[in-house]
Amino acid sequence: MPSRESYEVRKGEKSLVHKAKQEANQQDILAAALGMSISGPQKPPATIWQPLKLFAYSQLTSLVRKATLKDNSLPHKYEKVHNFKVHTFRGPHWCEYCANFMWGLKAQGVKCADCGLNVHKQCSTMVPRNCVPDLKNVKKVYSCELTTLVKAHNTKRPMVVDMCIQEIESRGLKSEGLYRMSGFSDSVEDVKSAFDRDGEKTDISASAYEDINIITGALKLYLRDLPIPVISYDAYPRFIEVAKLEDPEKQQEAFREALELLPAAHSETLRYLMVHLKRVTLNEKDNLMNAENLGIVFGPTLLRAPNLDAMTALNDIRYQRQVVEFLIKNEDILF
Protein backbone atom coordinates (compact mmCIF):
# COMPACT_ATOMS: atom_id res chain seq x y z
CA MET A 1 0.00 0.00 0.00
CA PRO A 2 1.54 3.32 -1.06
CA SER A 3 2.55 5.64 1.76
CA ARG A 4 1.07 9.09 2.28
CA GLU A 5 4.44 10.64 1.40
CA SER A 6 4.59 8.94 -2.03
CA TYR A 7 0.99 9.99 -2.64
CA GLU A 8 1.87 13.63 -1.90
CA VAL A 9 4.88 13.41 -4.23
CA ARG A 10 2.76 12.06 -7.13
CA LYS A 11 0.12 14.72 -6.44
CA GLY A 12 2.79 17.43 -6.56
CA GLU A 13 4.19 16.02 -9.82
CA LYS A 14 0.73 16.05 -11.43
CA SER A 15 0.21 19.64 -10.27
CA LEU A 16 3.52 20.68 -11.82
CA VAL A 17 2.69 18.94 -15.11
CA HIS A 18 -0.75 20.59 -15.20
CA LYS A 19 0.81 24.00 -14.47
CA ALA A 20 3.39 23.50 -17.22
CA LYS A 21 0.70 22.58 -19.74
CA GLN A 22 -1.40 25.57 -18.70
CA GLU A 23 1.55 27.92 -19.09
CA ALA A 24 2.38 26.40 -22.48
CA ASN A 25 -1.18 27.06 -23.62
CA GLN A 26 -0.92 30.64 -22.36
CA GLN A 27 2.33 31.04 -24.31
CA ASP A 28 0.70 29.80 -27.51
CA ILE A 29 -2.29 32.12 -27.06
CA LEU A 30 -0.13 35.15 -26.36
CA ALA A 31 2.15 34.31 -29.25
CA ALA A 32 -0.84 34.14 -31.59
CA ALA A 33 -2.10 37.48 -30.29
CA LEU A 34 1.32 39.01 -30.92
CA GLY A 35 1.56 37.45 -34.38
CA MET A 36 4.55 35.26 -33.46
CA SER A 37 5.35 31.59 -33.75
CA ILE A 38 7.11 30.04 -30.74
CA SER A 39 6.21 26.36 -31.13
CA GLY A 40 8.50 23.50 -31.95
CA PRO A 41 12.27 23.48 -31.55
CA GLN A 42 12.51 27.28 -31.84
CA LYS A 43 10.45 27.75 -28.68
CA PRO A 44 12.26 30.34 -26.54
CA PRO A 45 13.48 29.55 -23.04
CA ALA A 46 11.78 30.91 -19.94
CA THR A 47 14.27 33.79 -19.78
CA ILE A 48 12.77 35.13 -23.03
CA TRP A 49 9.20 34.02 -22.34
CA GLN A 50 8.83 35.95 -19.05
CA PRO A 51 9.63 39.42 -20.49
CA LEU A 52 7.42 38.60 -23.48
CA LYS A 53 4.56 37.76 -21.13
CA LEU A 54 5.01 40.97 -19.18
CA PHE A 55 5.13 42.99 -22.41
CA ALA A 56 1.92 41.37 -23.71
CA TYR A 57 0.08 41.97 -20.45
CA SER A 58 1.21 45.61 -20.39
CA GLN A 59 -0.04 46.10 -23.95
CA LEU A 60 -3.38 44.49 -23.11
CA THR A 61 -3.75 46.70 -20.03
CA SER A 62 -2.93 49.75 -22.13
CA LEU A 63 -5.55 48.84 -24.74
CA VAL A 64 -8.23 48.31 -22.09
CA ARG A 65 -7.38 51.64 -20.47
CA LYS A 66 -7.49 53.45 -23.82
CA ALA A 67 -10.87 51.91 -24.64
CA THR A 68 -12.23 52.92 -21.25
CA LEU A 69 -10.96 56.46 -21.58
CA LYS A 70 -12.33 56.72 -25.11
CA ASP A 71 -15.76 55.60 -23.98
CA ASN A 72 -15.90 57.89 -20.95
CA SER A 73 -14.00 60.92 -22.14
CA LEU A 74 -16.68 62.75 -24.14
CA PRO A 75 -18.66 64.34 -21.30
CA HIS A 76 -15.44 65.63 -19.69
CA LYS A 77 -14.27 67.29 -22.92
CA TYR A 78 -17.25 69.62 -23.03
CA GLU A 79 -16.09 73.18 -22.46
CA LYS A 80 -18.42 75.56 -20.68
CA VAL A 81 -17.92 79.22 -19.84
CA HIS A 82 -18.99 80.48 -16.45
CA ASN A 83 -22.34 82.23 -16.10
CA PHE A 84 -21.13 85.19 -14.04
CA LYS A 85 -23.56 87.66 -12.50
CA VAL A 86 -22.81 90.67 -10.28
CA HIS A 87 -23.22 89.60 -6.66
CA THR A 88 -23.31 91.22 -3.23
CA PHE A 89 -21.49 89.06 -0.69
CA ARG A 90 -22.36 89.05 3.00
CA GLY A 91 -19.31 89.08 5.21
CA PRO A 92 -15.65 89.00 4.07
CA HIS A 93 -14.93 87.20 0.80
CA TRP A 94 -11.79 86.40 -1.17
CA CYS A 95 -11.51 85.98 -4.94
CA GLU A 96 -11.20 82.28 -5.84
CA TYR A 97 -9.00 83.15 -8.83
CA CYS A 98 -6.39 85.61 -7.48
CA ALA A 99 -6.98 84.92 -3.75
CA ASN A 100 -7.16 88.67 -2.96
CA PHE A 101 -9.79 90.27 -0.76
CA MET A 102 -13.05 91.56 -2.30
CA TRP A 103 -13.48 95.16 -1.12
CA GLY A 104 -16.75 97.04 -0.77
CA LEU A 105 -20.13 96.76 0.89
CA LYS A 106 -22.12 95.63 -2.15
CA ALA A 107 -21.51 94.28 -5.68
CA GLN A 108 -17.98 93.35 -4.61
CA GLY A 109 -17.56 90.81 -7.42
CA VAL A 110 -19.32 88.26 -9.59
CA LYS A 111 -20.65 84.77 -8.88
CA CYS A 112 -21.21 81.95 -11.39
CA ALA A 113 -24.89 81.08 -11.30
CA ASP A 114 -24.11 77.51 -12.41
CA CYS A 115 -21.14 76.38 -10.31
CA GLY A 116 -20.98 79.07 -7.59
CA LEU A 117 -17.44 80.36 -8.34
CA ASN A 118 -16.77 83.76 -6.69
CA VAL A 119 -14.23 86.12 -8.34
CA HIS A 120 -13.45 89.78 -8.92
CA LYS A 121 -15.16 91.24 -11.98
CA GLN A 122 -11.77 91.92 -13.58
CA CYS A 123 -10.66 88.33 -12.83
CA SER A 124 -13.75 86.82 -14.48
CA THR A 125 -12.29 87.38 -17.98
CA MET A 126 -9.22 85.28 -17.11
CA VAL A 127 -10.97 82.29 -15.52
CA PRO A 128 -10.57 79.06 -17.62
CA ARG A 129 -13.60 77.66 -19.46
CA ASN A 130 -13.99 74.82 -16.99
CA CYS A 131 -17.33 75.52 -15.34
CA VAL A 132 -18.72 72.33 -13.78
CA PRO A 133 -22.33 73.14 -12.81
CA ASP A 134 -23.57 72.07 -9.41
CA LEU A 135 -26.92 70.29 -9.52
CA LYS A 136 -28.19 72.40 -6.63
CA ASN A 137 -27.79 75.48 -8.85
CA VAL A 138 -29.49 73.86 -11.88
CA LYS A 139 -33.12 74.27 -10.89
CA LYS A 140 -34.77 72.96 -14.06
CA VAL A 141 -34.28 70.83 -17.16
CA TYR A 142 -36.27 72.77 -19.76
CA SER A 143 -34.87 76.19 -20.75
CA CYS A 144 -31.50 75.23 -19.24
CA GLU A 145 -28.50 75.84 -21.49
CA LEU A 146 -27.59 72.52 -23.14
CA THR A 147 -23.92 72.28 -22.11
CA THR A 148 -24.81 73.34 -18.56
CA LEU A 149 -27.34 70.51 -18.27
CA VAL A 150 -25.10 67.73 -19.59
CA LYS A 151 -22.15 68.84 -17.46
CA ALA A 152 -24.31 69.02 -14.36
CA HIS A 153 -25.52 65.44 -14.94
CA ASN A 154 -22.20 64.23 -16.43
CA THR A 155 -23.91 62.81 -19.53
CA LYS A 156 -23.19 62.98 -23.25
CA ARG A 157 -26.63 64.36 -24.10
CA PRO A 158 -29.58 65.82 -22.20
CA MET A 159 -31.53 63.04 -20.52
CA VAL A 160 -34.74 64.46 -22.04
CA VAL A 161 -33.44 63.75 -25.54
CA ASP A 162 -32.28 60.23 -24.65
CA MET A 163 -35.42 59.24 -22.77
CA CYS A 164 -37.91 60.64 -25.30
CA ILE A 165 -36.13 59.13 -28.30
CA GLN A 166 -35.85 55.72 -26.63
CA GLU A 167 -39.56 55.79 -25.81
CA ILE A 168 -40.51 56.88 -29.35
CA GLU A 169 -38.36 54.19 -30.95
CA SER A 170 -39.76 51.49 -28.69
CA ARG A 171 -43.41 52.10 -29.59
CA GLY A 172 -43.92 54.93 -32.05
CA LEU A 173 -41.79 54.63 -35.20
CA LYS A 174 -44.73 53.41 -37.26
CA SER A 175 -47.18 55.98 -35.91
CA GLU A 176 -48.73 57.96 -38.77
CA GLY A 177 -47.72 61.60 -38.84
CA LEU A 178 -44.99 61.13 -36.21
CA TYR A 179 -43.65 64.56 -35.14
CA ARG A 180 -46.17 66.27 -37.44
CA MET A 181 -49.15 65.42 -35.22
CA SER A 182 -49.40 67.34 -31.94
CA GLY A 183 -50.26 65.89 -28.57
CA PHE A 184 -52.56 67.68 -26.12
CA SER A 185 -50.72 70.83 -25.00
CA ASP A 186 -51.73 70.29 -21.35
CA SER A 187 -50.21 66.80 -21.40
CA VAL A 188 -47.02 68.06 -23.07
CA GLU A 189 -46.70 70.74 -20.37
CA ASP A 190 -47.27 68.01 -17.79
CA VAL A 191 -44.29 66.06 -19.17
CA LYS A 192 -42.19 69.25 -19.10
CA SER A 193 -43.09 69.85 -15.44
CA ALA A 194 -42.30 66.22 -14.60
CA PHE A 195 -38.81 66.46 -16.15
CA ASP A 196 -38.14 69.74 -14.32
CA ARG A 197 -39.28 68.17 -11.06
CA ASP A 198 -38.10 64.54 -11.27
CA GLY A 199 -35.37 64.56 -13.93
CA GLU A 200 -34.36 61.08 -15.11
CA LYS A 201 -36.94 59.49 -12.79
CA THR A 202 -39.78 60.89 -14.94
CA ASP A 203 -42.21 58.24 -16.16
CA ILE A 204 -43.03 58.70 -19.86
CA SER A 205 -44.04 55.10 -20.53
CA ALA A 206 -47.24 54.10 -22.33
CA SER A 207 -48.94 53.57 -18.96
CA ALA A 208 -48.37 57.24 -18.11
CA TYR A 209 -48.85 58.75 -21.61
CA GLU A 210 -50.50 56.42 -24.08
CA ASP A 211 -50.41 58.93 -26.96
CA ILE A 212 -46.88 58.91 -28.44
CA ASN A 213 -47.51 62.40 -29.84
CA ILE A 214 -47.29 63.73 -26.28
CA ILE A 215 -43.71 62.43 -26.07
CA THR A 216 -42.74 63.84 -29.47
CA GLY A 217 -44.32 67.13 -28.42
CA ALA A 218 -42.28 67.15 -25.20
CA LEU A 219 -39.07 66.54 -27.15
CA LYS A 220 -39.81 69.32 -29.65
CA LEU A 221 -40.71 71.69 -26.80
CA TYR A 222 -37.41 70.94 -25.06
CA LEU A 223 -35.46 71.74 -28.23
CA ARG A 224 -37.47 74.94 -28.83
CA ASP A 225 -36.96 76.13 -25.23
CA LEU A 226 -33.16 75.91 -25.37
CA PRO A 227 -31.70 79.40 -24.80
CA ILE A 228 -29.03 78.53 -27.39
CA PRO A 229 -30.41 76.26 -30.16
CA VAL A 230 -28.82 72.91 -30.97
CA ILE A 231 -27.28 74.54 -34.05
CA SER A 232 -25.86 77.50 -32.14
CA TYR A 233 -26.26 81.15 -33.07
CA ASP A 234 -22.53 81.38 -33.85
CA ALA A 235 -22.74 78.50 -36.35
CA TYR A 236 -26.12 79.47 -37.83
CA PRO A 237 -24.86 81.77 -40.66
CA ARG A 238 -22.42 79.11 -41.89
CA PHE A 239 -25.11 76.41 -42.04
CA ILE A 240 -27.40 78.70 -44.04
CA GLU A 241 -24.55 79.50 -46.46
CA VAL A 242 -23.83 75.80 -46.97
CA ALA A 243 -27.53 75.07 -47.66
CA LYS A 244 -27.36 77.50 -50.58
CA LEU A 245 -24.52 75.60 -52.32
CA GLU A 246 -25.52 73.68 -55.45
CA ASP A 247 -22.56 71.28 -55.82
CA PRO A 248 -23.38 68.17 -53.70
CA GLU A 249 -19.70 67.27 -53.08
CA LYS A 250 -18.75 70.80 -52.02
CA GLN A 251 -21.88 70.95 -49.89
CA GLN A 252 -21.02 67.74 -48.06
CA GLU A 253 -17.51 68.94 -47.23
CA ALA A 254 -18.81 72.35 -46.21
CA PHE A 255 -21.34 70.73 -43.85
CA ARG A 256 -18.52 68.78 -42.20
CA GLU A 257 -16.69 72.05 -41.57
CA ALA A 258 -19.85 73.72 -40.30
CA LEU A 259 -20.47 70.90 -37.81
CA GLU A 260 -17.04 71.51 -36.29
CA LEU A 261 -18.22 74.99 -35.26
CA LEU A 262 -20.74 73.50 -32.82
CA PRO A 263 -19.92 73.08 -29.12
CA ALA A 264 -19.24 69.41 -28.32
CA ALA A 265 -22.49 68.85 -26.40
CA HIS A 266 -24.51 70.42 -29.22
CA SER A 267 -22.72 68.32 -31.84
CA GLU A 268 -23.36 65.08 -29.94
CA THR A 269 -27.04 65.94 -29.38
CA LEU A 270 -27.48 66.78 -33.06
CA ARG A 271 -25.79 63.52 -34.12
CA TYR A 272 -28.02 61.41 -31.87
CA LEU A 273 -31.15 63.21 -33.09
CA MET A 274 -30.22 62.80 -36.78
CA VAL A 275 -29.57 59.06 -36.33
CA HIS A 276 -33.03 58.80 -34.78
CA LEU A 277 -34.73 60.82 -37.51
CA LYS A 278 -33.06 58.63 -40.13
CA ARG A 279 -34.73 55.62 -38.47
CA VAL A 280 -38.04 57.49 -38.64
CA THR A 281 -37.61 57.88 -42.43
CA LEU A 282 -36.92 54.14 -42.76
CA ASN A 283 -40.51 53.61 -41.58
CA GLU A 284 -41.95 56.16 -44.02
CA LYS A 285 -44.32 53.55 -45.46
CA ASP A 286 -46.19 53.52 -42.14
CA ASN A 287 -45.56 56.94 -40.59
CA LEU A 288 -45.60 58.94 -43.88
CA MET A 289 -42.65 61.04 -42.67
CA ASN A 290 -39.70 61.43 -45.04
CA ALA A 291 -36.59 63.62 -44.63
CA GLU A 292 -38.27 66.61 -46.28
CA ASN A 293 -41.28 66.45 -43.95
CA LEU A 294 -39.02 66.15 -40.90
CA GLY A 295 -36.95 69.07 -42.18
CA ILE A 296 -40.07 71.22 -42.20
CA VAL A 297 -40.84 70.21 -38.60
CA PHE A 298 -37.33 70.48 -37.14
CA GLY A 299 -35.80 73.26 -39.27
CA PRO A 300 -37.09 76.21 -37.20
CA THR A 301 -36.58 74.19 -33.99
CA LEU A 302 -32.90 73.32 -34.45
CA LEU A 303 -31.91 76.55 -36.25
CA ARG A 304 -33.06 79.95 -35.06
CA ALA A 305 -31.96 83.17 -36.72
CA PRO A 306 -29.81 85.30 -34.37
CA ASN A 307 -31.16 88.86 -34.28
CA LEU A 308 -32.11 89.00 -37.94
CA ASP A 309 -34.83 91.22 -39.35
CA ALA A 310 -38.22 89.62 -40.00
CA MET A 311 -37.81 89.43 -43.79
CA THR A 312 -34.37 87.75 -43.64
CA ALA A 313 -35.62 85.28 -41.02
CA LEU A 314 -38.61 84.46 -43.22
CA ASN A 315 -36.36 83.83 -46.23
CA ASP A 316 -34.13 81.56 -44.13
CA ILE A 317 -36.97 79.12 -43.33
CA ARG A 318 -36.46 77.34 -46.66
CA TYR A 319 -32.76 76.86 -45.96
CA GLN A 320 -33.41 75.74 -42.38
CA ARG A 321 -35.52 72.92 -43.79
CA GLN A 322 -32.83 72.02 -46.32
CA VAL A 323 -30.13 71.89 -43.62
CA VAL A 324 -32.07 69.36 -41.53
CA GLU A 325 -33.09 67.35 -44.58
CA PHE A 326 -29.45 67.08 -45.73
CA LEU A 327 -28.24 66.11 -42.23
CA ILE A 328 -30.84 63.34 -41.99
CA LYS A 329 -30.06 61.88 -45.41
CA ASN A 330 -26.28 61.99 -44.83
CA GLU A 331 -26.02 61.31 -41.10
CA ASP A 332 -23.91 58.19 -41.65
CA ILE A 333 -21.34 60.22 -43.62
CA LEU A 334 -21.34 63.52 -41.69
CA PHE A 335 -21.24 62.26 -38.09
Side-chain angles (χ1 to χ4, degrees):
M1 185 173 179
S3 66
R4 182 173 181 80
E5 288 184 4
S6 61
Y7 172 76
E8 292 293 340
V9 169
R10 287 198 302 274
K11 184 178 178 183
E13 288 174 349
K14 287 181 180 179
S15 178
L16 288 172
V17 169
H18 176 72
K19 186 176 180 181
K21 287 181 179 179
Q22 192 176 41
E23 188 165 313
N25 288 336
Q26 289 178 348
Q27 292 180 26
D28 292 338
I29 293 169
L30 277 172
L34 293 169
M36 299 171 58
S37 175
I38 58 173
S39 59
Q42 288 129 6
K43 199 166 189 176
T47 52
I48 296 177
W49 158 243
Q50 189 62 25
L52 178 64
K53 184 164 109 174
L54 291 173
F55 170 74
Y57 285 165
S58 69
Q59 293 298 304
L60 181 60
T61 303
S62 176
L63 287 171
V64 171
R65 178 170 174 76
K66 284 179 182 177
T68 304
L69 288 173
K70 184 177 180 182
D71 184 56
N72 296 328
S73 62
L74 190 55
H76 305 288
K77 286 183 179 178
Y78 293 170
E79 283 190 354
K80 175 179 163 17
V81 296
H82 292 274
N83 182 18
F84 286 122
K85 298 183 184 301
V86 176
H87 189 75
T88 296
F89 297 95
R90 295 182 179 180
H93 264 78
W94 284 260
C95 174
E96 295 179 44
Y97 180 75
C98 70
N100 290 321
F101 187 71
M102 290 184 178
W103 297 98
L105 297 176
K106 63 178 185 176
Q108 304 98 320
V110 293
K111 183 185 183 79
C112 178
D114 297 330
C115 71
L117 182 72
N118 306 317
V119 295
H120 290 115
K121 186 175 181 181
Q122 62 269 27
C123 291
S124 65
T125 59
M126 298 179 282
V127 174
R129 297 160 60 98
N130 62 349
C131 177
V132 181
D134 190 329
L135 277 175
K136 68 182 181 183
N137 295 323
V138 180
K139 305 295 184 184
K140 55 186 177 180
V141 172
Y142 278 66
S143 301
C144 178
E145 198 271 319
L146 197 154
T147 303
T148 299
L149 188 67
V150 298
K151 288 206 74 172
H153 290 272
N154 195 30
T155 57
K156 291 183 179 181
R157 298 169 299 273
M159 99 280 285
V160 179
V161 175
D162 276 14
M163 290 177 64
C164 287
I165 285 179
Q166 288 166 13
E167 190 66 28
I168 293 163
E169 293 196 351
S170 69
R171 61 185 173 98
L173 283 179
K174 296 183 184 298
S175 178
E176 185 176 335
L178 189 68
Y179 286 114
R180 190 178 69 242
M181 303 285 288
S182 299
F184 289 113
S185 57
D186 288 349
S187 299
V188 172
E189 286 292 331
D190 185 46
V191 174
K192 172 185 175 180
S193 300
F195 271 117
D196 283 339
R197 183 182 64 251
D198 303 325
E200 59 189 14
K201 296 180 181 178
T202 302
D203 181 11
I204 56 172
S205 64
S207 58
Y209 302 98
E210 185 178 357
D211 184 4
I212 197 63
N213 296 312
I214 294 171
I215 310 304
T216 60
L219 176 59
K220 289 187 292 183
L221 179 60
Y222 170 77
L223 296 172
R224 282 198 305 271
D225 278 359
L226 286 172
I228 301 174
V230 175
I231 294 180
S232 62
Y233 292 125
D234 291 340
Y236 177 89
R238 181 56 180 157
F239 276 87
I240 296 300
E241 287 175 14
V242 175
K244 295 177 181 179
L245 296 176
E246 296 182 357
D247 187 327
E249 291 186 7
K250 288 182 179 179
Q251 193 175 45
Q252 190 177 104
E253 185 58 35
F255 264 119
R256 281 201 187 94
E257 294 172 0
L259 287 167
E260 292 177 1
L261 299 175
L262 296 177
H266 289 243
S267 178
E268 170 60 21
T269 301
L270 182 64
R271 180 199 67 80
Y272 191 73
L273 182 62
M274 292 303 109
V275 171
H276 163 64
L277 294 181
K278 184 65 171 286
R279 292 195 191 105
V280 173
T281 64
L282 295 178
N283 291 273
E284 180 189 353
K285 184 179 177 181
D286 297 299
N287 60 40
L288 307 180
M289 295 298 288
N290 56 26
E292 183 179 357
N293 294 336
L294 291 169
I296 294 170
V297 172
F298 281 94
T301 301
L302 300 178
L303 297 95
R304 296 201 295 273
N307 302 320
L308 297 181
D309 60 87
M311 186 57 67
T312 304
L314 189 63
N315 291 334
D316 280 358
I317 290 177
R318 174 164 62 108
Y319 299 112
Q320 292 171 352
R321 172 185 62 77
Q322 290 176 1
V323 167
V324 176
E325 183 180 349
F326 191 91
L327 293 177
I328 294 172
K329 288 180 176 178
N330 298 276
E331 58 82 19
D332 55 333
I333 299 171
L334 295 172
F335 296 97

